Amino acid sequence: MSRVEGRYRIGVDVGGTFTDCVVEDAGGNTLVTKASTTPADPSEGVFEAIGLAAEMLGLPLSEFLGKATTFVHGSTIGTNTFVQRVGTRTGLLMTRGHEEAIIIGRVRQKVAGLSEREKIHVAHLHKAEPPLVAWDDIRGVNERVDYKGEVLARLDPAEVETAVDELVANGVEALAVCFLWSFVNPEHERVVKALVSWKYPDLYLTISSDLVPLLGEYERCVSTCLNSYIGPAVSRYLERLHRRLQECGYRYPLLVMQSNGGLSTVEAVKEKPILT
């Protein structure tokens, strides 16, 4: 790309081995740079890639970022956090009597991902161990809403507070909340959200009615737990990258790629990192 006065659009994708940067100028011209991915802190690889782009354009990094109007970022940090099992210790609040939903799962868990030949011996197969939440980090609380959204048993905030106090004392740093039929009536989950946000503002929290208000207790529970499990790691990384970009002259929102191909802001992704 020859140097063109005007604005730049930057896209950076962090892969397992390389971090790729694509820059488009006001004239529609593009250039591509590549740097090694830095697993300990992927933002280092990001800045190396955009630094190479600035160098090719003959601009200081601060001037290059100051001329950028768009910065789109794709990252597998959420996926890697889950696959490598290095997420945050997560607690789970469930409707009492349904604490084992995430452990019981679905019958098809026994055969998911297996070949047809492997499925022949289904009687000898076992479900995988739940990787996200330990049994000791699950608490059931008294509450019940029916399929119409009618409250059958009121939630006791004092009981919730006791349960969350126990989880935090045991070392939990993130919390998932998944009550029965909360996608029809989210009142009880929102009471928990208000209580936890007040007493433990640094505890990463996901309530299922905000994240995935859909039928399917097991799927909703797993999604909620996964969101909290990867949330702190994704949030810390994006906050660090965005802050560093701003310090170096970038003046617009950092946009993050989602798994559906759309874009989202850092603040929105911090709430729903599972969507990346």
Side-chain angles (χ1 to χ4, degrees), residues 72-135:
V72 177
H73 184 45
S75 171
T76 57
I77 189 167
T79 303
N80 293 342
T81 298
F82 169 61
V83 171
Q84 297 170 10
R85 301 296 190 267
V86 292
T88 300
R89 183 174 173 182
T90 301
L92 173 62
L93 288 187
M94 296 287 290
T95 302
R96 190 177 300 282
H98 293 258
E99 296 92 334
E100 296 184 350
I102 193 171
I103 297 173
I104 295 171
R106 298 286 194 185
V107 173
R108 61 178 176 268
Q109 281 179 274
K110 290 186 177 182
V111 297
L114 299 183
S115 66
E116 291 302 317
R117 183 167 185 81
E118 290 171 314
K119 293 177 184 178
I120 293 174
H121 306 290
V122 66
H124 299 283
L125 299 177
H126 299 280
K127 294 179 181 179
E129 290 294 322
L132 299 179
V133 180
W135 171 244

Side-chain angles (χ1 to χ4, degrees), residues 1-271:
M1 181 196 296
S2 58
R3 181 170 175 178
V4 176
E5 292 298 330
R7 299 299 185 182
Y8 298 101
R9 300 171 65 193
I10 305 170
V12 177
D13 180 70
V14 177
T17 304
F18 295 109
T19 296
D20 298 294
C21 173
V22 179
V23 180
E24 181 183 63
D25 68 12
N29 303 300
T30 61
L31 69 78
V32 178
T33 63
K34 185 183 293 286
S36 296
T37 293
T38 50
D41 182 359
S43 65
E44 293 296 331
V46 170
F47 268 83
E48 184 176 350
I50 61 178
L52 289 172
E55 185 178 331
M56 291 175 66
L57 290 168
L59 294 172
L61 179 61
S62 59
E63 184 177 347
F64 173 51
L65 287 175
K67 289 176 175 291
T69 58
T70 306
F71 196 112
V72 177
H73 184 45
S75 171
T76 57
I77 189 167
T79 303
N80 293 342
T81 298
F82 169 61
V83 171
Q84 297 170 10
R85 301 296 190 267
V86 292
T88 300
R89 183 174 173 182
T90 301
L92 173 62
L93 288 187
M94 296 287 290
T95 302
R96 190 177 300 282
H98 293 258
E99 296 92 334
E100 296 184 350
I102 193 171
I103 297 173
I104 295 171
R106 298 286 194 185
V107 173
R108 61 178 176 268
Q109 281 179 274
K110 290 186 177 182
V111 297
L114 299 183
S115 66
E116 291 302 317
R117 183 167 185 81
E118 290 171 314
K119 293 177 184 178
I120 293 174
H121 306 290
V122 66
H124 299 283
L125 299 177
H126 299 280
K127 294 179 181 179
E129 290 294 322
L132 299 179
V133 180
W135 171 244
D136 290 342
D137 292 334
I138 301 175
R139 296 290 187 277
V141 294
N142 289 309
E143 71 86 36
R144 193 60 187 264
V145 173
D146 69 11
Y147 73 99
K148 296 179 180 179
E150 297 292 332
V151 176
L152 303 180
R154 282 283 170 191
L155 179 72
D156 181 0
E159 183 184 8
V160 171
E161 186 172 5
T162 298
V164 176
D165 287 345
E166 290 177 359
L167 291 171
V168 172
N170 289 341
V172 160
E173 297 180 321
L175 182 66
V177 183
C178 186
F179 293 155
L180 287 181
W181 299 103
S182 60
F183 63 95
V184 179
N185 182 351
E187 177 187 349
H188 288 174
E189 287 194 352
R190 289 177 179 171
V191 169
V192 176
K193 183 176 182 179
L195 189 155
V196 173
S197 299
W198 166 72
K199 189 167 186 180
Y200 297 104
D202 295 329
L203 185 68
Y204 191 92
L205 173 66
T206 307
I207 62 173
S208 70
S209 53
D210 280 351
L211 180 70
V212 52
L214 299 171
L215 181 67
E217 181 185 359
Y218 171 70
E219 291 81 0
R220 187 157 43 89
C221 182
V222 169
S223 298
T224 305
C225 290
L226 178 56
N227 197 72
S228 283
Y229 183 75
I230 68 173
V234 173
S235 298
R236 286 193 297 267
Y237 167 67
L238 290 177
E239 286 174 347
R240 184 167 62 249
L241 176 61
H242 194 199
R243 181 171 59 251
R244 190 171 174 185
L245 285 170
Q246 290 179 321
E247 291 171 351
C248 290
Y250 183 62
R251 296 172 294 162
Y252 297 92
L254 170 62
L255 299 177
V256 183
M257 286 292 301
Q258 297 187 92
S259 56
N260 63 4
L263 298 175
S264 189
T265 63
V266 171
E267 289 304 313
V269 170
K270 284 165 59 179
E271 295 289 329

